[in-house]
Amino acid sequence: MDTRAVVKASSFLILTIISIPTNLLVCCAFLHNRFTEAKLLTADIIICHLAFANLMVALIRSIPQTIAALGYVNLFDDVGCKITIFSFRAFRGLSISLTCLLCVYQAVAISPATSLLAPLKTRIPQYLMYIIVFLYFLYYSTSVMTALNAVFNLFNNTIPPYTLNLEYCFVLHKDYFTYISIGFGVMSRDLVFIVLMIIMSGYILKLLYQHGQKVKSIRSSDRSQKEGRAETKASRAVVTLVILYVVFFGIDNVIWLYTMTISRVTLLISDIRDFFATLYTSVCPIVVITTNPKVQRKLKLVKMKKEAQPTESSTHTM
């Protein structure tokens, strides 16, 4: 194995080891909460779908990239490649849009009653499932074109210009215009959600600053202070997710814009772009686990049960 393959295998293996267990943990925590308490808050539902989307991205892209780096490239046939590319594009897009939805809802939740966003406090929970279904439909429908161009093998093993090379699959574009059109279409679609995230994050930071100024000048009750701290913590977590996604999205698309200037993209450039396209799947659940009180409570319960088991077994043996 050359140095590039070793670094690639190690990098994607680390992403896989982190992202799959952590995203599963977030999904299971909220699903368990749903069956035990029979209700999930709006933000919880969005985070659960976001964790599922991130989990699918990790399964569909990180694992094949790790295996391909180890030299096993014959993973799929043409149909398998089309399904893999289609699923990756769809779930990665869902990861963007669901992060945006979470950011918008958090901005709405902490906005004052006099805000223009106030009417959305009841509208978003009321139409949440319709919004999520629309996002699934949007990204499924717009991911078909790229998936149709995916193949597992090339004629005469020669890579034609304007081809996305994943080593285990190839996405062909018949000419430069098609390559540019599909690329700019995908970037423009995602950029709408990114811009909206940035605007809402700025609004959240403004509200947090104003809230901090009020807290300094007004002595509030313990209950309101606790509620304020919970809202502040949740808002900061959402802003953190947005900042991370904007950074990763920016790096991904700067690399993509660079590839527009050349007809044949080297494997190293393709690997770096893929890494940043999937990095969010590992970082996002870590932020959720370290900031979400419901997930933390579930972890504490599991830990307490594990600690209680040895005590119970020792009692039975006496």
Side-chain angles (χ1 to χ4, degrees):
M1 292 176 66
D2 60 6
T3 304
R4 183 196 66 83
V6 172
V7 173
K8 177 182 177 180
S10 303
S11 301
F12 279 99
L13 181 60
I14 291 170
L15 289 186
T16 304
I17 292 172
I18 295 173
S19 59
I20 291 178
T22 52
N23 281 297
L24 273 174
L25 175 62
V26 173
C27 286
C28 291
F30 284 118
L31 288 174
H32 183 266
N33 198 72
R34 169 66 180 85
F35 290 117
T36 55
E37 299 181 14
K39 186 180 180 182
L40 283 178
L41 299 177
T42 302
D44 298 339
I45 296 172
I46 298 172
I47 293 173
C48 192
H49 279 275
L50 176 59
F52 174 70
N54 288 334
L55 175 64
M56 294 306 296
V57 170
L59 291 171
I60 293 164
R61 181 54 61 93
S62 296
I63 291 178
Q65 285 283 24
T66 303
I67 296 173
L70 295 173
Y72 302 96
V73 293
N74 296 320
L75 303 177
F76 308 104
D77 56 10
D78 278 354
V79 175
C81 281
K82 294 182 192 306
I83 293 173
T84 301
I85 299 299
F86 170 77
S87 300
F88 171 74
R89 296 279 178 151
F91 283 109
R92 181 173 178 267
L94 280 167
S95 183
I96 297 173
S97 58
L98 288 168
T99 303
C100 179
L101 179 59
L102 180 64
C103 182
V104 171
Y105 176 73
Q106 191 61 38
V108 169
I110 67 172
S111 63
T114 55
S115 170
L116 294 174
L117 298 176
L120 295 177
K121 289 188 179 185
T122 56
R123 295 290 179 84
I124 291 180
Q126 184 180 358
Y127 296 104
L128 179 62
M129 294 314 300
Y130 294 103
I131 296 171
I132 292 176
V133 169
F134 169 75
L135 293 176
Y136 273 84
F137 175 78
L138 172 66
Y139 279 97
Y140 282 165
S141 60
T142 55
S143 301
V144 173
M145 184 60 68
T146 303
L148 291 175
N149 297 326
V151 296
F152 89 102
N153 202 3
L154 296 171
F155 183 71
N156 289 335
N157 290 325
T158 56
I159 301 176
Y162 317 119
T163 298
L164 173 62
N165 181 7
L166 297 173
E167 294 187 271
Y168 58 89
C169 285
F170 303 88
V171 181
L172 307 175
H173 300 94
K174 60 181 180 180
D175 51 39
Y176 184 68
F177 177 76
T178 305
Y179 183 50
I180 287 287
S181 300
I182 293 177
F184 270 109
V186 171
M187 188 177 73
S188 301
R189 176 199 63 190
D190 295 341
L191 197 59
V192 172
F193 292 104
I194 294 293
V195 171
L196 184 56
M197 272 194 270
I198 294 172
I199 294 172
M200 290 295 105
S201 294
Y203 180 67
I204 289 173
L205 290 174
K206 177 187 174 183
L207 292 177
L208 291 178
Y209 174 77
Q210 292 175 346
H211 176 72
Q213 294 300 108
K214 288 180 181 179
V215 168
K216 288 180 181 179
S217 59
I218 300 172
R219 177 177 289 182
S220 57
S221 65
D222 291 341
R223 181 178 178 183
S224 62
Q225 284 181 352
K226 288 180 181 179
E227 290 175 354
R229 283 196 295 268
E231 288 181 351
T232 300
K233 192 174 181 180
S235 300
R236 286 175 179 169
V238 170
V239 171
T240 301
L241 289 177
V242 170
I243 291 172
L244 290 169
Y245 208 111
V246 170
V247 171
F248 299 154
F249 179 84
I251 295 173
D252 178 8
N253 283 275
V254 165
I255 296 173
W256 179 79
L257 289 172
Y258 166 73
T259 64
M260 295 294 99
T261 63
I262 54 179
S263 60
R264 298 180 187 276
V265 182
T266 63
L267 284 174
L268 178 61
I269 296 297
S270 181
D271 292 342
I272 294 172
R273 188 188 171 196
D274 251 351
F275 179 79
F276 281 100
T278 54
L279 183 56
Y280 184 72
T281 63
S282 298
V283 177
C284 176
I286 292 174
V287 174
V288 172
I289 291 169
T290 55
T291 59
N292 191 282
K294 289 186 178 178
V295 177
Q296 290 175 352
R297 279 201 300 271
K298 298 300 178 185
L299 285 174
K300 287 180 181 177
L301 286 173
V302 172
K303 185 179 179 180
M304 288 171 62
K305 287 181 179 178
K306 285 185 176 180
E307 290 175 350
Q309 282 177 354
T311 307
E312 291 177 359
S313 59
S314 60
T315 304
H316 287 307
T317 55
M318 288 177 65

